[in-house]
Amino acid sequence: MNEIIYLDAAASYQKDDAVINAQVDFLRNHYANAGRGICARAAWVDDMVANGRMRVAEFMNARPENIVFTHGTTDAINQIVRMLNLKSESIVAVSDLDHHSARLPFVMSGAKVIVCSLDENLDIDVNKIPYADVMVITAMSNVLGQPQNVSEIVRCAREKNPNVVVVVDAAQFIVHEKIDVNAWGADFVCWSAHKIGADTGLGVMYIRNPNQYAPVQFGGGMVNKISGDKIIFNNAPDVFEAGTLPLTQIAGLANAIDKLEENRPDLGLIKYMYDELKQISRVKILTGRDAAMLSFVIDGMHVLDFGALIGARGVCVRVGNMCASWIHNLLGINGSVRISVGAYNTIQQAWQVVKYIKDIVK
């Protein structure tokens, strides 16, 4: 059996021992619910959640009250759509860079969806930003791996409509680039913890002005007081976190952030594989050499067939439409192959995978 070479960090990042150990320690030695008791364990968990929220706030240059824990980027964007209470006449600007999770919730809301132009580099064209009530920005395509100029897009969107609400899907961006929410100026920024090496089932939703929005999920932990028919909710962020939080996942989150800041993925591996695959005539590369990932198709071979062949050699890559149908439609293809790396990948693995690909396509 070949060694497993995992090159699908963009789908979900492998977990460092520090993350796993923190979660195991919580489950074995500290497990209790948050916001539900005054015993020593409950107090420990409350502190853990508060410290995790503070670490995320530092990570994004935000304040803790702006940070809401969700179950992931998809959950966050669906909540945002309900918070905005869109009407049929509401105009939502999207782009063909979007993941399904970034666009579909707005499409299904019944609002009027318009598509932003892309420039010759397949970036959002800042010179053609339309008037919109809501601007959706995918900060980095999960197919092309190019960071977008979020602050400039936000500025241009606000020139067209000062009251535009800007929603940023940062699920792919977060692992490669530093986020400064103050510099971006967006109203909402969302990402999933498993993209940076924390656990699945946990996401972050930054809300610039949380007091402007009402909660859309209701239950325990969000209520301050009920008197007769009068309900007084807690302040943000608690008011947006009804029910029990994903505590085990939060236990490992700060460690994941620490590890990411110590050692981000080595994109030199992507450049190496780009240079090698560029020499193979059947391989048509879709991404730039400086992209955060390497996407390609192979002339005369279905991407699923390639996935099966490379998978049989112990290599994990992503094949298909990446839940990003629009960019594939724009490129005139049904799917692609994507290689993405984490800090745990090595040049030896990159060399081995290139050798496998050459063997498959020759």
Side-chain angles (χ1 to χ4, degrees), residues 175-246:
V175 73
H176 297 291
E177 303 271 349
K178 179 72 174 177
I179 289 179
D180 183 339
V181 292
N182 290 319
W184 277 4
D187 298 282
F188 295 91
V189 178
C190 313
W191 51 275
S192 298
H194 72 98
K195 299 293 188 181
I196 67 165
D199 209 347
T200 54
L202 173 63
V204 168
M205 175 171 61
Y206 160 84
I207 310 178
R208 185 170 64 145
N209 296 307
N211 294 330
Q212 290 185 3
Y213 302 97
V216 293
Q217 297 182 157
F218 303 92
M222 64 180 296
V223 175
N224 180 275
K225 182 179 180 181
I226 294 180
S227 179
D229 294 333
K230 186 176 182 181
I231 303 173
I232 301 173
F233 291 121
N234 286 325
N235 295 324
D238 295 351
V239 69
F240 299 108
E241 295 177 343
T244 297
L245 290 168

Side-chain angles (χ1 to χ4, degrees), residues 109-247:
S109 74
K112 180 181 179 181
V113 175
I114 60 176
V115 181
C116 293
S117 299
L118 303 183
D119 62 21
E120 64 276 8
N121 297 316
L122 298 181
D123 293 317
I124 295 173
D125 193 335
V126 295
N127 297 311
K128 297 180 181 178
I129 299 297
Y131 177 96
D133 299 303
V134 180
M135 178 79 192
V136 180
I137 303 172
T138 293
M140 179 181 286
S141 162
N142 71 331
V143 177
L144 301 179
Q146 299 169 179
Q148 298 301 296
N149 189 342
V150 175
S151 58
E152 181 64 9
I153 297 169
V154 173
R155 186 190 68 79
C156 293
R158 294 226 162 97
E159 281 187 351
K160 296 295 178 68
N161 179 9
N163 297 316
V164 66
V165 176
V166 180
V167 180
V168 179
D169 172 359
Q172 292 298 327
F173 187 100
I174 187 72
V175 73
H176 297 291
E177 303 271 349
K178 179 72 174 177
I179 289 179
D180 183 339
V181 292
N182 290 319
W184 277 4
D187 298 282
F188 295 91
V189 178
C190 313
W191 51 275
S192 298
H194 72 98
K195 299 293 188 181
I196 67 165
D199 209 347
T200 54
L202 173 63
V204 168
M205 175 171 61
Y206 160 84
I207 310 178
R208 185 170 64 145
N209 296 307
N211 294 330
Q212 290 185 3
Y213 302 97
V216 293
Q217 297 182 157
F218 303 92
M222 64 180 296
V223 175
N224 180 275
K225 182 179 180 181
I226 294 180
S227 179
D229 294 333
K230 186 176 182 181
I231 303 173
I232 301 173
F233 291 121
N234 286 325
N235 295 324
D238 295 351
V239 69
F240 299 108
E241 295 177 343
T244 297
L245 290 168
L247 297 170

Side-chain angles (χ1 to χ4, degrees), residues 276-293:
E276 291 293 317
L277 297 186
K278 192 74 172 175
Q279 301 174 37
I280 306 174
S281 60
R282 287 184 65 193
V283 175
K284 307 302 180 185
I285 298 177
L286 308 175
T287 47
R289 188 174 185 272
D290 293 327
M293 55 197 67

Side-chain angles (χ1 to χ4, degrees), residues 10 246 267 297 313:
L267 296 185
V297 294
R313 291 163 169 80

